[in-house]
Amino acid sequence: MTTSDNSFAIITGASRGIGAEYARELASQGHDLLLVGRDTERLTRLSQELETAHSIHAHGCTLDLAQPNSAHQLFVIAREYRQTPDFVINNAGFGLYGEFVSHSLPRIQQMLQLHIQTVVESIRLFLPGMIERGSGTIINVASIAGMLPIPYFAEYAATKAFLISFSEALAEEVKSTGVYIQACCPGQTDTDFHASAGFRPSNPMAVQTASQVVEVSLAALKNKQPVVTIGWQGWLSSLLTKWVPRKILTRETGRRTRPPTT
Ligand SMILES: NC(=O)c1ccc[n+]([C@@H]2O[C@H](COP(=O)([O-])OP(=O)(O)OC[C@H]3O[C@@H](n4cnc5c(N)ncnc54)[C@H](OP(=O)(O)O)[C@@H]3O)[C@@H](O)[C@H]2O)c1
């Protein structure tokens, strides 16, 4: 266990994109970090960069969170540094684009494990310590995709819907304990996400930056909103899902996401 007095944040999917941006922002605020992902080189480089720039402790942790039992492994590793973290940011994720039946079963299983099982298990392991201490923040990076059914992103949108519902319910359960739980719902954000998923954002004008997402998410710590959307895109999506009948929304979304026929 380290002796630093700094507060301690665990960030999954910290090797790039939104996760790396959470790491940069929290490091600049003086938090020690445990940065989790599969890309050891990137994690090491980022840890060193942040330690030098901000006089904090940052550790890279190479772990495939799509493997069963990885939440438990993370819990054990985290306790080498601190008894109970101040922040747990469940951000690691990936997109799967195309017809459901074209996706391989192992890839679907990885998504369910990474977006749902590992997140739920991690929270079950870390939350009791936070409640006992009377403080802590858990941010689950969901998506505005979780607010509506999305044909050709069916599993992705459904796992993010789970995260929103789960976070909102849990936030209510723990609201008197000093622990804050947030579902952060970015819209299309400029990271490697779309290239990895094989999907090009339909409207480049609507694309957000990772730093915008992180700024809004961390600013919401003040008023403890359980579900956080980003910018006018988030506002518009929330509005549409409230007022447009689900059947129409699903059909129109499907028209926009339908893969081009080859
Ligand atoms: N970009 C968007 O438009 C957008 C919109 C809404 C929500 N989101 C959500 O934001 C989160 C971050 O995505 P991003 O946009 O920053 O994408 P990204 O740049 O592709 O980053 C994804 C991160 O997740 C990690 N990751 C993926 N699979 C993993 C695994 N099996 N085990 C451990 N780490 C894993 C990657 O690390 P390694 O490669 O090192 O494993 C990487 O650091 C995701 O949950 C995504 O669903 C993104």
Side-chain angles (χ1 to χ4, degrees), residues 108-141:
I108 295 168
Q109 287 166 330
Q110 282 170 3
M111 178 171 280
L112 297 176
Q113 180 73 48
L114 181 63
H115 292 186
I116 297 181
Q117 294 270 117
T118 300
V119 173
V120 173
E121 289 170 19
S122 292
I123 294 174
R124 179 62 187 85
L125 290 166
F126 287 114
L127 182 57
M130 290 180 169
I131 292 173
E132 196 181 331
R133 190 184 51 201
S135 70
T137 296
I138 296 175
I139 297 175
N140 298 319
V141 179

Side-chain angles (χ1 to χ4, degrees), residues 12-262:
T12 73
S15 60
R16 65 186 81 228
I18 296 171
E21 210 48 51
Y22 271 114
R24 289 197 178 90
E25 187 51 41
L26 290 178
S28 77
Q29 295 176 11
H31 302 276
D32 289 342
L33 304 172
L34 183 64
L35 306 178
V36 189
R38 293 163 304 174
D39 190 329
T40 309
E41 209 181 302
R42 274 175 174 267
L43 292 170
T44 307
R45 220 182 312 135
L46 183 60
S47 303
Q48 287 169 350
E49 173 199 317
L50 298 179
E51 284 196 334
T52 309
H54 303 290
S55 305
I56 50 122
H57 295 287
H59 311 273
C61 166
T62 309
L63 194 57
D64 183 351
L65 297 167
Q67 293 300 315
N69 207 35
S70 52
H72 190 255
Q73 282 174 269
L74 176 59
F75 183 67
V76 171
I77 293 166
R79 284 173 83 98
E80 287 172 22
Y81 298 104
R82 224 56 68 81
Q83 182 72 19
T84 303
D86 299 276
F87 281 83
V88 174
I89 302 187
N90 294 304
N91 162 77
F94 66 92
L96 252 185
Y97 173 57
E99 286 181 20
F100 173 68
V101 290
S102 73
H103 299 152
S104 75
L105 192 51
R107 197 67 179 141
I108 295 168
Q109 287 166 330
Q110 282 170 3
M111 178 171 280
L112 297 176
Q113 180 73 48
L114 181 63
H115 292 186
I116 297 181
Q117 294 270 117
T118 300
V119 173
V120 173
E121 289 170 19
S122 292
I123 294 174
R124 179 62 187 85
L125 290 166
F126 287 114
L127 182 57
M130 290 180 169
I131 292 173
E132 196 181 331
R133 190 184 51 201
S135 70
T137 296
I138 296 175
I139 297 175
N140 298 319
V141 179
S143 170
I144 51 170
M147 293 180 177
L148 64 165
I150 305 192
Y152 312 107
F153 266 114
E155 314 91 290
Y156 179 77
T159 60
K160 297 298 186 178
F162 174 93
L163 280 181
I164 296 171
S165 169
F166 181 63
S167 307
E168 223 174 340
L170 224 48
E172 179 65 24
E173 277 187 38
V174 302
K175 71 179 180 197
S176 61
T177 66
V179 179
Y180 165 50
I181 297 182
Q182 175 191 115
C184 171
C185 300
Q188 294 188 340
T189 308
D190 185 18
T191 65
D192 295 341
F193 175 86
H194 296 100
S196 313
F199 180 77
R200 193 188 283 250
S202 49
N203 179 4
M205 295 295 288
V207 173
Q208 306 163 337
T209 65
S211 61
Q212 263 176 293
V213 173
V214 169
E215 192 187 326
V216 175
S217 166
L218 295 180
L221 261 61
K222 282 197 201 88
N223 58 12
K224 303 205 179 327
Q225 266 168 269
V227 179
V228 173
T229 58
I230 321 295
W232 64 265
Q233 304 94 323
W235 172 82
L236 188 63
S237 303
S238 313
L239 207 70
L240 287 174
T241 53
K242 270 191 202 113
W243 296 107
V244 180
R246 213 164 160 81
K247 196 174 162 188
I248 296 175
L249 209 55
T250 309
R251 192 184 58 216
E252 290 309 313
T253 310
R255 276 205 188 130
R256 287 164 162 269
T257 50
R258 190 191 309 278
T261 44
T262 46

